Amino acid sequence: MDGTVLVADDDRTIRTVLTQALTRAGCKVHATSSLMTLMRWVDEGKGDLVISDVMMPDGNGLETLPQITEKRPGLPVIIISAQNTIMTAIQATEKDAYDYLPKPFDLPDLMKRAARALDQKRRVQPQRSAATGASAAAIPAQQEDLPLVGRTPAMQALYRLVARVMNTDLPVLVTGESGTGKSLIARAIHDFSDRRTLPFVIATAGDLEGMDGPSALAARARGGSILFDEVGDLSEEAQARIVRMLDAFGDSAPRVMASSQRDLMERMEAGQFRQDLFYRLGGVTLTVPSLRERVDDIPLLVTHFLSRAERDGLPLRRFSNDAMDLIRAYSWPGNVRQLENTIKRLTVTGQTEEIGKAEVEMVLGNQPAIEPLMGGAPGDKLSSSVAKHLRRYFDLHGGVLPPAGLYNRILREVETPLIEIALEATGGNQAKCADLLGINRNTLRKKITDLDIRVTRRRKLM
């Protein structure tokens, strides 16, 4: 890797880590905690690549992007941010960032992206930079309240795909289980797109009835967006009306989106969904992962819902470590919607500031549970269950390869529960645990530290 990298981050540790890694890779590095200093370096013509945080002491890194593009059109900028929301990903795309990574980022992945940015000559599109500032400024402020948060690879891949398709005219099919946020994704596509000032219409089966139903629906949309919610549940007659309506659209046609928790391909093959409608709606398919497929996002969502409850005048509460472990371990068949309702109930009914394990058990004990994601048929080998999970993980990325560093991420996912359960089985005795696992005791201690595993003395399982 060759070139000069400008790093702007208010976290000294991140500046040090990036400086060391980039220097070892052969780059020259200038690091600062000030956007003013960063812009001075840009004005002076320094740097072949910028890596910048969003929230800085003297400003917003995203807001400097149009200025950097104007001053240095060919200078790539990689945005890193702890604000793991769909808005951040979309604004980074709108403002012409070369790439975007959520914090905490995978260092090898960031290094590969930096190498590509330095090696590739960025295509200059000055006409876009002039428009993007106004576009981003017009994004409704209330969208900050959307619970579309997530740092997991599956959610970040979804955010990037949303950012790429939001200003196209391609129809969008949003799939996923009930409660995952399919309608929120569709709404975000509209609200962040060039059509945001036009109507967003959610079509129901009743809107398609009668001779004038479809035409009245199109008139309500007026070139905005139409969402056919749970299109897989519509009758054959309603499906036929949608086909005829789509075929009749003129030049000012609205953006067409549909959502479904049913597998439309299976329903089509079973003769329960029209083939012509399936191909008209499936220009781009976005799959929203279930909550049990993005467990690491649960603490982020819990924090969001606790803050929302506080703004609504409910008592401020926090989870104990044991209670949060239980929240993470639950299968959440109702997904994000069920989690939100559970958090609201806990904030309303609690008597103390801390939410304990017993309180969570009482609430979740009255709710349905489903088999864990990794569960398989009786007699299935562990490798078979892992293979199913990995195939699903790749499918969630919609034909786009997952972020680099997959091997280490998967190992971490397996190692963490393995060591935790082995420690529990041996009552927290690290010597016995190391023997059980067949590894050196020092190796076990290092893994406990690296994986941030809490060690407590517990009753043995055997």
Side-chain angles (χ1 to χ4, degrees):
M1 197 185 302
D2 183 32
T4 299
V5 182
L6 309 180
V7 175
D9 198 295
D10 62 341
D11 188 320
R12 177 181 294 179
T13 301
I14 290 179
R15 293 199 305 272
T16 301
V17 168
L18 289 179
T19 298
Q20 292 175 346
L22 290 164
T23 301
R24 284 197 300 267
C27 294
K28 295 179 181 178
V29 181
H30 297 285
T32 179
S33 61
S34 166
L35 285 176
M36 184 178 297
T37 302
L38 172 65
M39 292 309 298
R40 176 166 56 80
W41 289 339
V42 171
D43 285 338
E44 293 171 354
K46 294 179 179 177
D48 303 298
L49 167 66
V50 173
I51 299 177
S52 176
D53 192 10
V54 174
M55 300 306 295
M56 297 283 283
D58 56 346
N60 186 303
L62 280 172
E63 293 176 1
T64 65
L65 270 171
Q67 301 173 44
I68 293 174
T69 301
E70 182 179 356
K71 296 174 185 294
R72 303 271 300 281
L75 181 62
V77 180
I78 296 177
I79 291 293
I80 54 177
S81 175
Q83 294 182 310
N84 302 303
T85 68
I86 191 170
M87 174 175 279
T88 308
I90 288 176
Q91 285 183 320
T93 301
E94 280 208 325
K95 291 177 180 289
D96 209 19
Y98 177 84
D99 214 335
Y100 158 73
L101 276 173
K103 290 182 178 179
F105 53 80
D106 180 72
L107 183 58
D109 183 28
L110 176 57
M111 294 296 290
K112 289 180 181 177
R113 293 168 190 257
R116 286 198 297 268
L118 289 168
D119 290 341
Q120 295 174 5
K121 209 167 184 183
R122 192 176 178 208
R123 182 177 300 173
V124 179
Q125 295 178 326
Q127 73 279 9
R128 182 181 174 184
S129 62
T132 52
S135 175
I139 292 177
Q142 64 266 28
Q143 296 302 338
E144 290 282 5
D145 199 43
L146 281 174
L148 292 173
V149 297
R151 64 167 58 99
T152 53
M155 287 303 291
Q156 289 297 318
L158 176 62
Y159 293 166
R160 289 189 179 93
L161 193 51
V162 167
R164 288 200 295 269
V165 306
M166 67 181 181
N167 281 323
T168 70
D169 292 327
L170 287 170
V172 174
L173 175 62
V174 187
T175 65
E177 295 178 7
S178 175
T180 52
K182 299 186 295 296
S183 60
L184 285 176
I185 291 293
R187 181 82 206 201
I189 291 173
H190 172 82
D191 285 352
F192 297 149
S193 74
D194 295 338
R195 300 175 187 257
R196 66 176 64 92
T197 59
L198 299 172
F200 176 80
V201 177
I202 300 178
T204 65
D207 293 324
L208 299 167
E209 294 177 354
M211 294 296 295
D212 298 330
S215 58
L217 182 62
R220 283 168 54 201
R222 298 199 315 276
S225 301
I226 295 179
L227 171 64
F228 296 100
D229 197 24
E230 295 303 336
V231 69
D233 294 333
L234 294 178
S235 66
E236 184 175 351
E237 181 181 356
Q239 293 175 34
R241 289 180 182 274
I242 294 176
V243 171
R244 291 195 291 271
M245 181 178 71
L246 298 182
D247 288 345
F249 280 157
D251 294 336
S252 59
R255 175 74 175 271
V256 176
M257 293 184 279
S259 68
S260 177
Q261 60 179 297
R262 296 176 179 269
D263 189 324
L264 295 186
M265 178 71 78
E266 286 185 359
R267 289 182 64 79
M268 183 182 70
E269 292 174 349
Q272 298 171 329
F273 196 81
R274 291 179 63 106
Q275 186 179 53
D276 51 359
L277 180 57
F278 177 82
Y279 291 115
R280 281 171 171 80
L281 295 178
V284 177
T285 299
L286 305 178
T287 301
V288 186
S290 66
L291 196 50
R292 62 188 179 278
E293 293 171 301
R294 45 182 292 224
V295 174
D296 288 341
D297 286 335
I298 289 179
L300 286 173
L301 289 163
V302 167
T303 299
H304 174 87
F305 292 135
L306 287 174
S307 299
R308 175 183 287 179
E310 183 186 8
R311 292 197 300 271
D312 292 341
L314 295 173
L316 174 63
R317 305 200 70 195
R318 59 182 176 81
F319 281 81
S320 69
N321 290 331
D322 287 344
M324 180 56 72
D325 288 344
L326 190 56
I327 288 288
R328 286 173 59 95
Y330 183 65
S331 58
W332 299 109
N335 292 294
V336 179
R337 186 180 297 120
Q338 183 190 7
L339 175 65
E340 179 181 18
N341 291 335
T342 299
I343 300 303
K344 185 178 293 184
R345 177 176 172 180
L346 287 168
T347 56
V348 170
T349 60
Q351 301 297 318
T352 61
E353 180 180 341
E354 183 175 86
I355 300 172
K357 181 178 180 181
E359 191 176 351
V360 174
E361 286 176 335
M362 184 179 301
V363 172
L364 293 183
N366 298 323
Q367 302 201 37
I370 57 179
E371 289 299 315
L373 179 67
M374 294 294 289
D380 272 3
K381 292 182 179 180
L382 177 61
S383 59
S384 299
S385 295
V386 171
K388 292 176 183 176
H389 177 71
L390 290 175
R391 287 194 186 96
R392 175 62 175 160
Y393 176 78
F394 273 82
D395 290 344
L396 285 171
H397 286 76
V400 179
L401 287 177
L406 177 61
Y407 183 80
N408 287 330
R409 288 200 303 274
I410 295 299
L411 281 185
R412 185 185 179 96
E413 290 288 329
V414 174
E415 276 189 312
T416 299
L418 173 60
I419 293 175
E420 288 176 341
I421 293 170
L423 282 167
E424 183 178 358
T426 55
N429 188 311
Q430 294 186 30
K432 290 183 178 180
C433 181
D435 289 339
L436 175 64
L437 295 172
I439 61 177
N440 183 276
R441 191 188 307 182
N442 290 333
T443 301
L444 174 62
R445 288 174 178 166
K446 186 176 185 304
K447 288 184 177 295
I448 288 173
T449 300
D450 292 344
L451 298 172
D452 195 24
I453 294 173
R454 288 184 290 114
V455 181
T456 56
R457 304 292 297 185
R458 302 177 181 175
R459 180 179 60 83
K460 297 181 181 180
L461 298 179
M462 51 194 180

